[in-house]
Amino acid sequence: MNQFIDIHTHNNSPAAHALQIVNVYKQFDTIPQNGWFSAGLHPWHLSGPIDIDSLQKVAMQSNILAIGECGLDKVCATDWNLQIRAFAQQIILANNIGKPLIIHCVRAWEEVMATLKQHKVSVPVIFHGFNKSNIASRLIDNGYYLSFGKALLKTDSPAAEVLRSIAANRYFLETDDADISIADIYAAAASLRETQQDDVILQLRQNFKTVFNR
């Protein structure tokens, strides 16, 4: 039985006792029919025309659980206007097909929130790899979810600070691209929240059911 849920990973190798949502950002037509995936146009890898048609086609597969990761990044070299257009189109797509958004955000919190509001996002929104304490309450107040990864292993990180106080029904855990076990992330989360690991497992199963309707 899968004990752990890894909400966002780039590792396509099956993890022991874990349910994984594997992220794909290119070659969408190669996504298999088995396994669970998210698919999105990552701001790092945008160039030329926005290939929203290929994404839309694969997004209808039942094992594509979310759109993303997508969003805005002020550190990468990708043209800003191209990032905005691609992000907006993916919000619209997610709204149309009723699948959650997994957000990549680097130094663009105001712009991401403004774009979500402008396009009237109506699906659950998950900010992945979260490690920024001063914006957490605003995101939660907007009804968004936060997903935490390897930053939890540093008990003095902003991520650890937020996880200690966040409502139990507003967070997920992930490995992203880190060479680390999702079990270690769960153990860290349980320690930070001063609870049993089984409590974290049960809560995140419920969160998963709520957001992904599964």
Side-chain angles (χ1 to χ4, degrees), residues 41-54:
L41 302 173
H42 193 296
W44 289 2
H45 304 290
L46 292 170
S47 62
I50 299 169
D51 192 12
I52 197 69
D53 291 338
S54 294

Side-chain angles (χ1 to χ4, degrees), residues 44-134:
W44 289 2
H45 304 290
L46 292 170
S47 62
I50 299 169
D51 192 12
I52 197 69
D53 291 338
S54 294
L55 176 58
Q56 182 170 351
K57 188 178 298 182
V58 75
M60 300 308 297
Q61 287 183 201
S62 61
N63 66 330
I64 303 297
L65 300 193
I67 302 301
E69 58 189 283
C70 59
L72 302 174
D73 189 323
K74 287 187 176 179
V75 174
C76 75
T78 305
D79 177 77
W80 181 252
N81 288 328
L82 179 61
Q83 290 190 50
I84 289 282
R85 292 198 304 274
F87 184 31
Q89 289 184 33
Q90 290 175 94
I91 297 169
I92 294 167
L93 172 60
N95 281 344
N96 287 341
I97 65 176
K99 293 189 177 183
L101 279 165
I102 296 178
I103 302 294
H104 170 100
C105 181
V106 177
R107 300 183 186 178
W109 302 100
E110 298 298 334
E111 292 86 350
V112 164
M113 285 190 285
T115 307
L116 289 168
K117 182 177 181 181
Q118 178 185 352
H119 295 282
K120 297 180 173 61
V121 66
S122 59
V123 297
V125 173
I126 304 166
F127 283 80
H128 101 89
F130 192 78
N131 192 25
K132 191 80 172 177
S133 59
N134 63 352

Side-chain angles (χ1 to χ4, degrees), residues 5-11 18-24 35-39 63-66 68 102 126 175 208 212:
I5 298 175
D6 188 345
I7 203 73
H8 180 79
T9 184
H10 294 274
N11 181 5
L19 179 159
Q20 298 170 291
I21 299 181
V22 178
N23 178 246
V24 179
W36 284 356
F37 298 86
S38 63
N63 66 330
I64 303 297
L65 300 193
I102 296 178
I126 304 166
T175 58
F208 183 83
F212 295 95

Side-chain angles (χ1 to χ4, degrees), residues 186-202:
Y186 268 73
S191 176
L192 288 165
R193 292 184 67 82
E194 299 182 347
T195 189
Q196 298 298 311
Q197 183 168 276
D198 284 350
D199 294 334
V200 176
I201 290 171
L202 291 172

Side-chain angles (χ1 to χ4, degrees), residues 4 12 19 25-26 31 67 73 105-106 112 137 140 143 145-146 157 168 179 182 196 206 213:
F4 308 113
N12 202 15
L19 179 159
Y25 60 86
K26 63 180 180 179
I31 297 176
I67 302 301
D73 189 323
C105 181
V106 177
V112 164
S137 61
I140 295 299
Y145 294 81
L146 308 181
S157 69
D179 184 18
I182 189 64
Q196 298 298 311
Q206 182 58 52
N213 196 28

